[in-house]
Amino acid sequence: MTKAETIDYYAKRSAEYERIYDKPERQNDLEQLRTTLAGMFGGLDLLEIACGTGYWTQCASRSATSIVATDYSEEVLDIAREKEFGDCPVTFVKADAYSLDGVDGPFSAGLVCFWWSHIPNVQIDNFLRVLHSKLAKGATVVVLDNRYVEGSSTPISRTDNEGNSYQTRKLGDGSKYEIVKNFPNEDEFKRRIDAVAEDCSFTTLEYFWLAQYTLAVSAADQGATADGSRRR
Ligand SMILES: C[S@@+](CC[C@H](N)C(=O)[O-])C[C@H]1O[C@@H](n2cnc3c(N)ncnc32)[C@H](O)[C@@H]1O
């Protein structure tokens, strides 16, 4: 699936997107995640990537000082803009997660919910370089995504030779899309951020995983770590 097809899929799915959060067996985990996220960003200016309809933006707004929430789809951003965010100023910006053009910085926190799993493995390092370039040294980064659970998750339809797995998703109008959906374990996740992060925690719930780390390098240092060498 191309980047354009992924964007098209989510634009078409915008109206039915949050039904995924209604699955009865996932409610305990979701409650725990909502509570955790609501308390994570005290005093921090947060940049959220691929915010979708703003479900997690709303949780983060309980503690964040401010939020810039980005997504590539105007359809989902329009839904998100209708939500209530209390006293937290939230700005929604259309931006491609792979470039974040038009997004200023540096922010003191980053949030990535249910987007990591859609990034083809070959693109992850580039995505992280772009995200980290918008964050200050010492920023808190939170990443949340699905675990694969037989009987609850959409079955994996195939795996390619770069290690990406795929799911075939059907929308209410009957259209079908094959999307990248990867399910990294703790070691795989930590390997991706090891060179630029410290204090990484990885929490495994029944249906989800939640990672948190501190960005240990500045934007300038990250240019110098493009070869993968450790800078701290
Ligand atoms: C699985 S949804 C997650 C939405 C939201 N974070 C949540 O957890 O409810 C993935 C989101 O990625 C967005 N998206 C897809 N491709 C993108 C890209 N290249 N840049 C930014 N957002 C993108 C879609 O529009 C969609 O809102």
Side-chain angles (χ1 to χ4, degrees), residues 116 146-147 183-194 199-205 209-212:
W116 185 281
N146 296 95
R147 297 182 65 212
F183 298 93
N185 62 29
E186 178 170 353
D187 284 350
E188 288 164 341
F189 178 84
K190 285 185 170 172
R191 262 201 303 276
R192 292 295 191 168
I193 50 119
D194 182 54
D199 301 330
C200 182
S201 68
F202 189 97
T203 306
T204 305
L205 304 182
W209 57 267
L210 175 75
Q212 179 179 3

Side-chain angles (χ1 to χ4, degrees), residues 3 6-11 13 17-18 20-21 48-57 70-74 76-77 95-100 112-115 117-118 144-146 169 179 181:
K3 189 168 110 181
T6 307
I7 291 163
D8 180 49
Y9 166 73
Y10 278 106
R13 196 182 149 198
Y17 182 75
E18 289 192 19
I20 192 74
Y21 298 124
E48 184 179 0
I49 308 300
C51 65
T53 54
Y55 184 92
W56 300 101
T57 318
T70 63
D71 198 284
Y72 203 72
S73 157
E74 283 291 3
V76 297
L77 289 173
D96 184 342
Y98 296 113
S99 68
L100 293 179
V112 183
C113 297
F114 300 97
W115 167 244
S117 54
H118 295 302
L144 163 63
D145 221 304
N146 296 95
R169 302 267 185 94
I179 60 156
K181 186 74 182 176

Side-chain angles (χ1 to χ4, degrees), residues 19-220:
R19 280 187 214 157
I20 192 74
Y21 298 124
D22 293 339
K23 289 199 174 195
E25 72 277 16
R26 301 186 183 184
Q27 293 311 306
N28 282 349
D29 277 8
L30 286 166
E31 176 61 32
Q32 189 175 331
L33 290 172
R34 283 192 296 265
T35 305
T36 302
L37 248 77
M40 278 182 135
F41 302 108
L44 300 178
D45 295 306
L46 175 64
L47 170 63
E48 184 179 0
I49 308 300
C51 65
T53 54
Y55 184 92
W56 300 101
T57 318
Q58 214 170 22
C59 294
S61 74
R62 306 274 181 261
S63 58
T65 296
S66 71
I67 302 179
V68 172
T70 63
D71 198 284
Y72 203 72
S73 157
E74 283 291 3
E75 284 86 347
V76 297
L77 289 173
D78 281 346
I79 294 171
R81 285 187 182 104
E82 296 301 313
K83 289 194 158 77
E84 289 292 328
F85 300 100
D87 293 336
C88 179
V90 180
T91 311
F92 289 98
V93 177
K94 180 178 173 179
D96 184 342
Y98 296 113
S99 68
L100 293 179
D101 286 342
V103 175
D104 295 330
F107 294 83
S108 46
L111 177 62
V112 183
C113 297
F114 300 97
W115 167 244
W116 185 281
S117 54
H118 295 302
I119 307 173
N121 285 325
V122 72
Q123 289 282 350
I124 287 180
D125 291 346
N126 174 52
F127 165 71
L128 284 172
R129 253 193 305 275
V130 169
L131 169 64
H132 293 160
S133 75
K134 303 293 179 184
L135 303 178
K137 184 175 180 179
T140 297
V141 184
V142 176
V143 185
L144 163 63
D145 221 304
N146 296 95
R147 297 182 65 212
Y148 183 79
V149 180
E150 202 69 49
S152 180
S153 305
T154 304
I156 292 171
S157 50
R158 70 181 173 96
T159 303
D160 68 18
N161 52 18
E162 287 171 350
N164 300 296
S165 47
Y166 294 80
Q167 292 174 332
T168 301
R169 302 267 185 94
K170 201 171 167 185
L171 294 180
D173 67 2
S175 55
K176 276 188 182 173
Y177 289 82
E178 184 187 58
I179 60 156
V180 170
K181 186 74 182 176
N182 289 323
F183 298 93
N185 62 29
E186 178 170 353
D187 284 350
E188 288 164 341
F189 178 84
K190 285 185 170 172
R191 262 201 303 276
R192 292 295 191 168
I193 50 119
D194 182 54
V196 294
E198 58 190 17
D199 301 330
C200 182
S201 68
F202 189 97
T203 306
T204 305
L205 304 182
E206 191 172 355
Y207 294 95
F208 306 100
W209 57 267
L210 175 75
Q212 179 179 3
Y213 61 90
T214 302
L215 185 62
V217 295
S218 67

